């Protein structure tokens, strides 16, 4: 009886240890996929989301019924205009608070299935699954205005922040991750060159 009790106790301890290990591994994995400042998904997480969406796109294009109704997916690259000047003027702590506020605004305005991540520095990336260029542009314009109308302040000094968006819709099976990102980035760069605080669409190969 004593041996059986010890065996059951050992099994229970092992099961508890395994559960603890799973929880710890889950926390570590979440940390590895999360930006520590904004608590948004990070670049690594977004790469996974986009690659998964590329897989969906290729499967949909393979079947005619799916192909006829599938919209593709749209990517928006966006960043905060003149962010270096903001840091230089108000300090990096203020810059960090702006990044956190912008992250909250982006997250709260997007639809449930959309994904937003911090791509690096002051740059963010948004994935719009099964979304046309037109619909993604409408949402991005809403995001742009939401940020532009938000009031910021530093030690009593008010100021505004704007963002520029570059959009590209992926609809062909030849597209890969790098190509999708590059075309959205090209649109973002054009927006910067044309005065910032706007949404620019890359219509190549649509």
């Amino acid at each position: 009886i004593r041996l059986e009790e010890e065996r059951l106790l050992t099994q229970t301890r092992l099961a508890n240890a395994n559960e603890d290990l799973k929880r710890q591994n889950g926390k570590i994995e979440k940390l590895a996929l999360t930006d520590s400042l904004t608590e948004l998904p990070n670049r690594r997480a977004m790469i996974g989301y986009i690659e998964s969406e590329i897989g969906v796109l290729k499967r949909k294009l393979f079947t005619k019924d799916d192909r006829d109704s599938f919209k593709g997916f749209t990517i928006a690259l966006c960043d905060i205009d003149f962010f270096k000047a903001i840091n230089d003027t108000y300090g990096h702590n203020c810059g960090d608070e702006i990044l956190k506020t912008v992250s909250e605004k982006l997250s709260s305005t997007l639809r449930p299935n959309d994904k937003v991540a911090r791509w690096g520095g002051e740059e963010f990336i948004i994935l719009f699954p099964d979304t046309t260029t037109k619909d993604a542009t409408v949402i991005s314009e809403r995001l742009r205005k939401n940020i532009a109308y938000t009031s910021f302040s530093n030690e009593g000094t008010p100021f505004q922040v704007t963002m520029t968006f570059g959009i590209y819709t992926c609809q062909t099976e030849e597209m890969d991750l790098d190509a999708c990102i590059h075309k959205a980035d090209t649109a973002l760069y054009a927006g910067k060159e044309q005065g910032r605080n706007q949404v620019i669409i890359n219509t190549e190969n649509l």
Side-chain angles (χ1 to χ4, degrees), residues 15 51 71 87 107 134-135 137-138 148 159 164 203:
E51 287 181 337
K71 302 171 185 176
N87 271 336
S107 299
K134 180 180 178 180
D135 289 341
T137 302
V138 169
F159 62 93
T164 303
T203 58

Side-chain angles (χ1 to χ4, degrees), residues 7 24 26 47-48 51 58-59 61 63 69 76 86 102 115 137 139 142 147 168 187-188 190 205:
R7 186 183 67 80
Q24 292 301 321
I47 287 173
E51 287 181 337
K58 292 183 176 180
R59 289 195 300 273
L61 293 178
T63 305
S69 62
I86 293 172
V102 166
K115 304 286 187 183
T137 302
I139 300 168
R142 188 182 305 140
I147 299 299
Y168 183 72
L188 173 60
N205 297 326

Side-chain angles (χ1 to χ4, degrees), residues 26-139:
K27 290 178 182 179
I28 292 170
E29 181 65 18
K30 183 178 179 180
L31 288 173
L33 298 173
T34 303
D35 177 66
S36 59
L37 176 65
T38 64
E39 297 185 354
L40 290 177
N42 59 18
R43 177 185 287 253
R44 177 184 169 191
M46 180 55 81
I47 287 173
Y49 297 148
I50 295 174
E51 287 181 337
S52 176
E53 201 63 28
I54 289 173
V56 171
L57 182 149
K58 292 183 176 180
R59 289 195 300 273
K60 294 280 188 179
L61 293 178
F62 186 75
T63 305
K64 184 180 184 305
D65 289 343
D66 290 336
R67 182 170 64 246
D68 291 341
S69 62
F70 187 55
K71 302 171 185 176
F73 65 92
T74 301
I75 290 175
L77 271 175
C78 52
D79 73 2
I80 301 171
D81 298 326
F82 302 112
F83 189 70
K84 183 179 183 303
I86 293 172
N87 271 336
D88 291 344
T89 302
Y90 301 111
H92 289 279
N93 288 338
C94 180
D96 286 348
E97 290 304 312
I98 291 171
L99 288 170
K100 288 191 282 189
T101 299
V102 166
S103 299
E104 292 169 1
K105 294 289 183 181
L106 294 175
S107 299
S108 63
T109 307
L110 290 173
R111 304 169 304 179
N113 290 335
D114 298 333
K115 304 286 187 183
V116 59
R118 187 179 180 192
W119 196 239
E122 71 273 23
E123 193 170 44
F124 298 84
I125 185 169
I126 304 168
L127 170 65
F128 300 100
D130 196 19
T131 303
T132 63
T133 302
K134 180 180 178 180
D135 289 341
T137 302
V138 169
I139 300 168

